[in-house]
Amino acid sequence: MGPAPAGATGESEVMEPILESIGKGGKKASSKKRTVAGSPVEGLLQPVKLSRAELYKEPTSEELNRLRETESLFHSSLLRLQVEELLKEVRLSEKKKERIDTFLQEVKQRILRVPSTPETELMDQAWLPAGVRVPIHQVPFTVKGCFRFLPPVQVTIVGSYLLGTCIRPDINVDLALTMPREILQDKDGLNQRYFRKRALYLAHMAHYLAQDPLFGSVRFSYSNGCHLKPSLLLRPHGKDERLVTVRLHPCPPPEFFRLCRLLPTKNNVRSAWYRGQSPPGDGSPEPPTPHYNTWVLQDTVLESHVQLLSAALGSAPGLKDGVCLLKVWLRQRELDKGLGGFSGFLATMLVTFLTSTRKIHTTMSGYQVLRSVLQFLATTDLTVSGISSCLSSDPSLPALADFHQAFPVVFLDFSGHLNLCADVTASTYHQVQHEARLSMTLLDSKTDDGFQLLLMTPKPMVRTFDHILHLRPLSRLQTACHRLKLWPELQDHGGDYVSAALGPLITLLEQGLGSRLQLLGHSRPPVPEWGIHQDPPKHRDSGALTLGLLLRPEGLTSVLEMGPEADQSEAAVFRQLWGSRSELRRFQDGAIREAVVWEAASVAQKRLIPQQVVTHLLALHADIPDTCVHYVGGFLDALIQGPKEASSTKGRMVMSQGGELMMVPNVEAILEDFAVLGEGLVQTVEPRSERWTV
């Protein structure tokens, strides 16, 4: 602590000729200064000898503040050092930033030089170069409107790179390309016209950029898993190919779309156009398309959001550190992946909201921000009480109740029109809440290694849930949509039957599992990138839809599902849910009730009753046979029964004080049993990552 002693200056002078001599081949130098240093090993720094006054010097005010902050905010100085080192590891170095900035300048110049095209009908796509595919499924193909390509009027960096909150290893830079007004027409918000023009804009640009030697890779990908909003991925050529990925996002000019036409209660996809049928003559209202409207709104506020975030985080390094830690926390739990994930952008907007409500202060450290956000998530249910960053009192703005009717999770941006959590499902948010509660308990426990478990240990679904089930092939979900009559949902999601069926299926399973279930989570693998000469992936190409069940020990092994009495109105609902499984039974108290009895002879079979519930409900209501439900659970019972014999043979019999003969198993046998158990689990569970590959 304190300033360096006077002897330290002379010591630094000694080191200069030493390093010089090492660089010249390690020959000895005859400098007197090295003799004065008295170094027993040449080329090594020796500890500086401090005087007694310097050794016991009083700490400075800055050192006292740091010690006081460490004592009040961290369990130990070690935790603080770990957090600081983690931030150094995940941040981007200054040298790489310079190389990325240079590449971005080159990208901008190439984009502005893409040639224009003459105006044609939106359905006439013969002008596209041979082999170039439109990166969107044009179903139905018939659509009105005209299109021509013009270079963007503005190229703006948006996202975490500009804010300084991007984390390694995958560095992505988002560029917003503002399309000229001449390309768009007044009614482009209807029937996917805007999304068709957006895809054609990228297809033309991809053809010309792929011929430039600056780029080593030019490919398409879906923005946050939304199949109506592809983005163009650009990577440098040569050794810098893995340095950065630039994602191009076309967007409309500011204030082009009227916000009142994009409310969650409005319809912008006509049923007659989507289903190919003539409009009904009874004057029935069109179903609202809240998700479709949200995807259009997201493009209109790209630049305004980055301006808001820059103003909020620009002069607060602690807030940026907190955002980086939150992103690491989400990534380790795989909560930020794919459509419906709790992305890093949502975490950044949540930090901004808590700052505006004074629950987070700009002077807080990154660790304080992390704790504050986790505490907010653990105690706030956005599926019941949504939040809004809008401070306007304009009566024309939609109410929170309107958004709750359209979306399961509600978090409005500063405009009051866009729900930032529109794609987040209720089960995903409940999983975020569950993990936030566990993390807060971990941080408050001084006996555990909170840093290692919180930020360094991956926690995929196989480590989070008791039972895992995979639904494949995904094409069966298209049949489920027809069985469940989800035409409005399909119309809203642009034909994405996986997203349309996900919510109703989760609600169905939660209703059937009832008190056995503590948490139900889901995971959709991200759609892979594809080349500019390939057709975009179909919905069924995403692999499998994975559901996780976290079960309650209480009532798990019960073979009886007791329903209402036969003369109550709820009895019809119970029979509709369980179908032929429901039957009338008389109980010991004389009551006659609807009930469902599951077949289970042993305790091991009783623990697998959730599998019977899931397969029965999916087959009954969604027309998904049990051959399409790959259930992973119950393997622990078979593995536990095997090692018992080994433990007993390696144990020894001892006489207790009461004269009874007791078996004491050997520790070596227990360890061997756990090794067998671990090998069996790894071989049984379907591999989800490299950690599980055998």
Side-chain angles (χ1 to χ4, degrees):
M1 299 291 180
T9 306
E11 197 72 26
S12 62
E13 294 178 357
V14 172
M15 283 308 301
E16 202 170 335
I18 290 178
L19 298 176
E20 236 175 9
S21 64
I22 293 175
K24 295 178 181 178
K27 295 181 180 181
K28 282 190 176 182
S30 58
S31 173
K32 290 184 180 180
K33 291 181 179 179
R34 191 182 304 124
T35 307
V36 173
S39 174
V41 181
E42 301 219 3
L44 296 179
L45 283 171
Q46 298 300 312
V48 179
K49 293 183 179 180
L50 300 176
S51 65
R52 185 177 181 84
E54 293 166 339
L55 187 62
Y56 294 99
K57 184 179 180 180
E58 294 183 359
T60 62
S61 59
E62 181 181 352
E63 293 169 345
L64 286 174
N65 290 335
R66 183 178 177 84
L67 290 172
R68 192 179 300 111
E69 185 180 276
T70 301
E71 182 180 1
S72 59
L73 302 179
F74 297 85
H75 295 160
S76 63
S77 299
L78 175 62
L79 178 58
R80 179 169 194 154
L81 292 174
Q82 289 172 324
V83 171
E84 292 175 350
E85 287 300 318
L86 174 63
L87 290 172
K88 291 179 183 178
E89 287 295 324
V90 300
R91 277 206 184 97
L92 198 60
S93 64
E94 291 298 328
K95 290 184 178 180
K96 288 188 176 181
K97 284 184 180 179
E98 295 175 358
R99 291 158 57 190
I100 292 175
D101 290 340
T102 303
F103 179 67
L104 291 177
Q105 292 295 331
E106 297 289 339
V107 170
K108 183 176 180 180
Q109 295 176 9
R110 266 53 170 200
I111 290 175
L112 296 177
R113 290 204 296 260
V114 176
S116 305
T117 62
E119 184 174 300
T120 60
E121 292 292 327
L122 198 54
M123 294 173 55
D124 180 13
Q125 300 173 5
W127 58 271
L128 283 172
V132 177
R133 304 293 184 184
V134 181
I136 191 176
H137 292 291
Q138 304 181 76
V139 180
F141 184 75
T142 304
V143 68
K144 298 179 180 179
C146 300
F147 176 78
R148 62 176 300 194
F149 181 90
L150 293 174
V153 297
Q154 188 174 358
V155 180
T156 310
I157 300 177
V158 296
S160 58
Y161 179 78
L162 183 64
L163 301 174
T165 58
C166 61
I167 61 174
R168 298 164 57 195
D170 300 324
I171 302 299
N172 300 310
V173 180
D174 298 295
L175 293 183
L177 312 181
T178 305
M179 295 185 291
R181 287 181 177 268
E182 294 81 3
I183 296 179
L184 303 175
Q185 296 169 306
D186 292 337
K187 294 186 177 182
D188 279 351
L190 291 174
N191 299 339
Q192 301 182 11
R193 297 180 196 175
Y194 165 71
F195 294 117
R196 303 285 176 92
K197 292 185 177 182
R198 190 180 182 278
L200 290 171
Y201 198 86
L202 286 178
H204 177 74
M205 185 172 291
H207 171 70
Y208 283 91
L209 295 182
Q211 303 174 14
D212 198 302
L214 176 68
F215 306 109
S217 173
V218 178
R219 299 175 67 83
F220 288 119
S221 177
Y222 287 141
S223 300
N224 297 322
C226 177
H227 73 286
L228 287 179
K229 295 176 62 176
S231 58
L232 187 61
L233 308 184
L234 307 176
R235 295 185 178 92
H237 179 74
K239 63 179 182 180
D240 288 339
E241 184 175 2
R242 297 186 178 182
L243 174 66
V244 65
T245 299
V246 178
R247 301 186 292 198
L248 305 185
H249 305 275
C251 61
E255 301 179 357
F256 178 81
F257 290 108
R258 296 172 57 190
L259 296 181
C260 62
R261 288 294 310 153
L262 298 174
L263 297 178
T265 56
K266 299 294 184 179
N267 172 276
N268 284 292
V269 180
R270 302 295 187 251
S271 301
W273 171 81
Y274 181 75
R275 303 186 191 183
Q277 302 173 354
S278 58
D282 55 358
S284 57
E286 291 278 359
T289 54
H291 290 88
Y292 177 93
N293 301 345
T294 297
W295 294 335
V296 177
L297 270 173
Q298 288 172 349
D299 284 357
T300 64
V301 295
L302 276 176
E303 297 182 20
S304 56
H305 276 169
V306 76
Q307 293 172 2
L308 171 71
L309 294 175
S310 298
L313 306 180
S315 59
L319 298 184
K320 295 181 180 180
D321 292 346
V323 170
C324 292
L325 292 176
L326 280 169
K327 289 184 176 182
V328 173
W329 183 81
L330 291 168
R331 180 174 295 181
Q332 293 288 35
R333 286 151 183 79
E334 298 183 354
L335 295 171
D336 59 341
K337 293 184 178 180
L339 183 66
F342 201 89
S343 64
F345 170 73
L346 285 178
T348 309
M349 294 297 290
L350 185 57
V351 169
T352 306
F353 168 77
L354 295 178
T355 305
S356 64
T357 56
R358 301 186 182 278
K359 293 184 179 180
I360 290 180
H361 198 269
T362 54
T363 59
M364 283 185 173
S365 64
Y367 180 76
Q368 287 177 288
V369 174
L370 175 65
R371 283 188 62 104
S372 299
V373 175
L374 292 180
Q375 178 66 25
F376 177 82
L377 290 173
T379 57
T380 307
D381 191 354
L382 298 184
T383 63
V384 178
S385 302
I387 57 176
S388 174
S389 301
C390 181
L391 302 178
S392 175
S393 57
D394 187 354
S396 64
L397 290 175
L400 278 174
D402 297 334
F403 288 94
H404 275 293
Q405 290 180 357
F407 305 105
V409 187
V410 177
F411 175 20
L412 303 186
D413 73 335
F414 67 94
S415 68
H417 288 84
L418 175 61
N419 180 19
L420 300 172
C421 292
D423 295 326
V424 180
T425 61
S427 60
T428 297
Y429 184 76
H430 288 152
Q431 186 179 352
V432 172
Q433 275 197 301
H434 173 73
E435 294 294 341
R437 294 190 193 101
L438 294 179
S439 299
M440 288 304 300
T441 304
L442 192 63
L443 291 175
D444 293 336
S445 174
K446 298 184 179 181
T447 58
D448 298 325
D449 186 1
F451 175 81
Q452 184 70 25
L453 298 175
L454 189 69
L455 298 172
M456 298 297 291
T457 305
K459 194 179 180 184
M461 289 195 72
V462 292
R463 294 184 181 178
T464 304
F465 297 96
D466 298 317
H467 292 179
I468 303 290
L469 60 116
H470 308 283
L471 299 181
R472 60 173 180 262
L474 287 178
S475 56
R476 294 298 307 186
L477 294 180
Q478 189 171 13
T479 307
C481 288
H482 293 285
R483 182 67 177 271
L484 296 170
K485 299 180 180 179
L486 300 178
W487 284 109
E489 287 78 4
L490 283 172
Q491 189 171 325
D492 185 21
H493 288 86
D496 184 1
Y497 48 81
V498 180
S499 299
L502 180 59
L505 288 182
I506 289 178
T507 303
L508 174 67
L509 296 182
E510 288 177 341
Q511 185 179 1
L513 291 169
S515 59
R516 304 176 194 269
L517 185 67
Q518 179 180 350
L519 180 68
L520 193 154
H522 65 85
S523 174
R524 294 179 61 179
V527 181
E529 306 169 4
W530 70 95
I532 63 174
H533 301 293
Q534 297 175 336
D535 291 324
K538 297 182 179 180
H539 305 302
R540 63 172 180 264
D541 298 334
S542 300
L545 174 62
T546 303
L547 303 178
L549 309 180
L550 185 62
L551 304 171
R552 299 181 187 273
E554 305 84 5
L556 176 61
T557 58
S558 175
V559 297
L560 178 66
E561 298 285 347
M562 186 178 297
E565 295 185 0
D567 57 349
Q568 293 182 352
S569 59
E570 293 83 358
V573 178
F574 187 87
R575 287 191 297 268
Q576 192 274 334
L577 174 63
W578 296 109
S580 59
R581 277 281 190 174
S582 177
E583 57 186 6
L584 284 175
R585 284 181 172 263
R586 183 186 296 274
F587 293 89
Q588 293 181 354
D589 59 355
I592 300 177
R593 295 175 175 271
E594 295 285 346
V596 176
V597 180
W598 305 103
E599 295 83 5
S602 63
V603 178
Q605 293 177 353
K606 290 180 179 179
R607 282 195 283 265
L608 279 178
I609 288 178
Q611 181 179 5
Q612 299 185 48
V613 175
V614 169
T615 54
H616 173 72
L617 291 177
L618 292 180
L620 176 64
H621 295 280
D623 200 16
I624 300 177
D626 55 358
T627 55
C628 297
V629 181
H630 303 268
Y631 201 92
V632 181
F635 296 102
L636 188 61
D637 296 300
L639 294 170
I640 287 177
Q641 294 172 4
K644 283 185 177 180
E645 184 179 352
S647 299
S648 61
T649 57
K650 295 185 180 181
R652 55 193 179 91
M653 305 298 294
V654 297
M655 189 71 68
S656 66
Q657 294 181 355
E660 298 179 358
L661 199 61
M662 298 178 58
M663 170 67 72
V664 178
N666 197 335
V667 175
E668 179 185 357
I670 297 176
L671 295 177
E672 289 183 4
D673 294 346
F674 273 106
V676 174
L677 176 63
E679 293 175 2
L681 283 175
V682 172
Q683 293 174 359
T684 303
V685 176
E686 183 181 53
R688 295 285 296 162
S689 65
E690 294 181 0
R691 298 178 60 89
W692 289 88
T693 305
V694 294

